[in-house]
Amino acid sequence: MANVVVVGSQWGDEGKGKIVDWLSEQADVVVRFQGGHNAGHTLVIDGVSYKLSLLPSGVVRGKLSVIGNGVVIDPHALVAEMGRLAEQGVSVSPQTLKIADNATLILSLHRELDALRESAAAGTKIGTTKRGIGPAYEDKVGRRAIRVMDLANLQTLPAKIDRMLAHHNALRRGLGEPEIEASAIYDELASVADKVLPFMDTVWSLLDQRRRAGDRILFEGAQGALLDIDHGTYPFVTSSNTVAGQAATGSGLGPGAVSYVLGITKAYTTRVGEGPFPSEQDNEVGDFLGTRGHEFGTVTGRKRRCGWFDSVLVRQTVSTSGINGIALTKLDVLDGLDEIRICVAYELDGKRIEHLPASQGEQARVKPIYETLPGWKESTKGARSWAELPAQAVKYVRYVEELIGAPVTMLSTSPERDDTILVQNPFQD
Ligand code: IMP
């Protein structure tokens, strides 16, 4: 049985929501395996728009939805998100949502620390979502995190909180911030325990059973592979592994559980926050793409930086995530341009290179080498077959495939679910 991992192949915001929703309708189980409520997925179903951050997209369709151990969970944000969905008539019950007992919690002190660092001296700014994601993962790796299961044993919390605060209060003293009282953290956790615990489960075991029973599992990645803590544009990255391999580690299944990796890929490039962006167009082209593509963050509302399609980066992601095929999104945003550029390689210190180097200094120095293709005047919006696309648009898509070394398996031509050209269904690989 095919289990599909969906990852963003650029810096996030590739339009995963629609594709994940389309796939989740065919899945039995939908699993989040990394990140937290820094993600923002918009699903449009029957004209109604649902905005999800932490919850797997499957909740809207009543599918078994799982938050795996690799996710960091702000319990208050979780409860608030469920509340917002309830107002839209979507109820999330302990039968449909399972949360890993060994997942790490994001606390208010993580959120505060994230914001403090971001407002500190220039040069250290990452442009995070200020959701506390990085500090929570630091505590996980530092072996001082509070985890979901700890909410079930409140009497064990004081010792764990002391351990965590020994670290955080030292940091806060250094930053000139007041220390945090252990009782404040205890109260914060105790107040939310009853709301979270009904959803807690031994997720690795549940997923193993479902996999053996032949269920179709959809692993829903958040952010994008270029924000991966190992493979991304470090240090301008998020604090989790966002590449497809994390689907196994972040859910408790072995790597053999994954049979198809779908990379969601935007027909141009965007990025939110700081960091290198070789094909960025800080000019009228970028403004055109941003306006046409409505490039504002779902979570923070920030204006996204925009630029030409960078095939070097996506080719790299095809390798680091083992992408079998891509879903190409937002092609219609390019409609009407006289010429379209594609970055095909970089120049670094006078030499042509075919990949983005790992060094921060070199990443800042690479210059894009472009090829220019003729644009098309006709609209591609809403096309549902190749025949409806202008010849130049088809050429553009074929050239993208050639450059990145992976086929387009789906082409999305508007936010509406039926405005899709399907080449191959990843679940029926
Ligand atoms: P953090 O994940 O909040 O720590 O932010 C680290 C970097 O990842 C920043 O550049 C954010 O803008 C970026 N980022 C985090 N989540 C997303 C997302 O869902 N889409 C796009 N960028 C994101």
Side-chain angles (χ1 to χ4, degrees), residues 305-426:
R305 300 157 63 193
C306 297
W308 296 117
F309 185 77
D310 187 335
S311 68
V312 181
L313 294 177
V314 177
R315 186 164 61 232
Q316 205 153 319
T317 300
V318 166
S319 296
T320 56
S321 270
I323 287 173
N324 299 99
I326 65 163
L328 191 67
T329 62
K330 297 185 116 174
L331 182 68
D332 58 290
V333 172
L334 303 176
D335 293 353
L337 286 167
D338 291 330
E339 290 186 330
I340 300 172
R341 294 177 134 199
I342 298 189
C343 172
V344 295
Y346 300 133
E347 188 195 305
L348 176 67
D349 304 335
K351 280 205 191 109
R352 181 184 170 108
I353 56 168
E354 309 284 336
H355 72 285
L356 186 70
S359 135
Q360 191 184 341
E362 291 183 345
Q363 287 185 357
R365 288 206 307 284
V366 297
K367 296 203 172 46
I369 298 174
Y370 292 113
E371 282 184 17
T372 303
L373 276 68
W376 53 89
K377 291 286 164 227
E378 306 87 334
S379 167
T380 61
K381 198 171 176 71
R384 295 185 182 185
S385 71
W386 292 102
E388 290 174 55
L389 294 178
Q392 291 304 341
V394 176
K395 273 194 193 147
Y396 181 78
V397 175
R398 295 294 175 227
Y399 197 39
V400 164
E401 288 180 316
E402 187 187 322
L403 289 166
I404 66 172
V408 169
T409 54
M410 296 168 90
L411 185 70
S412 162
T413 56
S414 97
E416 291 301 324
R417 55 175 283 120
D418 294 331
D419 292 342
T420 304
I421 300 173
L422 181 66
V423 180
Q424 183 199 358
N425 183 340

Side-chain angles (χ1 to χ4, degrees), residues 11-14 16 37-41 114 126-135 222-224 227 235-240 271-275 299-300 302 304:
W11 279 294
D13 309 315
E14 296 91 352
K16 289 186 283 295
H37 66 310
N38 50 348
H41 291 174
D114 200 354
I126 303 293
T128 74
T129 59
K130 298 187 187 167
R131 297 291 190 267
I133 305 291
Q223 290 85 49
L227 290 169
F236 302 102
V237 291
T238 191
S239 296
S240 64
R271 151 159 232 177
V272 205
E274 309 298 312
V299 172
T300 59
R302 288 180 290 175
R304 297 178 186 141

Side-chain angles (χ1 to χ4, degrees), residues 153-230:
N153 299 292
L154 292 179
Q155 74 286 359
T156 66
L157 270 183
K160 292 183 173 128
I161 293 173
D162 284 348
R163 186 176 158 78
M164 180 182 249
L165 285 183
H167 174 83
H168 280 273
N169 280 335
L171 265 179
R172 292 177 68 93
R173 284 193 295 275
L175 291 166
E177 292 295 319
E179 294 194 14
I180 294 172
E181 296 286 337
S183 61
I185 301 294
Y186 182 90
D187 292 348
E188 178 184 332
L189 290 167
S191 73
V192 85
D194 286 350
K195 296 189 180 113
V196 175
L197 287 173
F199 300 95
M200 182 174 85
D201 210 327
T202 312
V203 153
W204 62 266
S205 168
L206 171 77
L207 287 175
D208 187 45
Q209 287 163 30
R210 302 301 294 251
R211 186 175 76 87
R212 286 171 196 270
D215 277 3
R216 285 176 166 184
I217 304 176
L218 174 65
F219 297 92
E220 178 181 4
Q223 290 85 49
L226 299 170
L227 290 169
D228 184 277
I229 186 78
D230 287 290

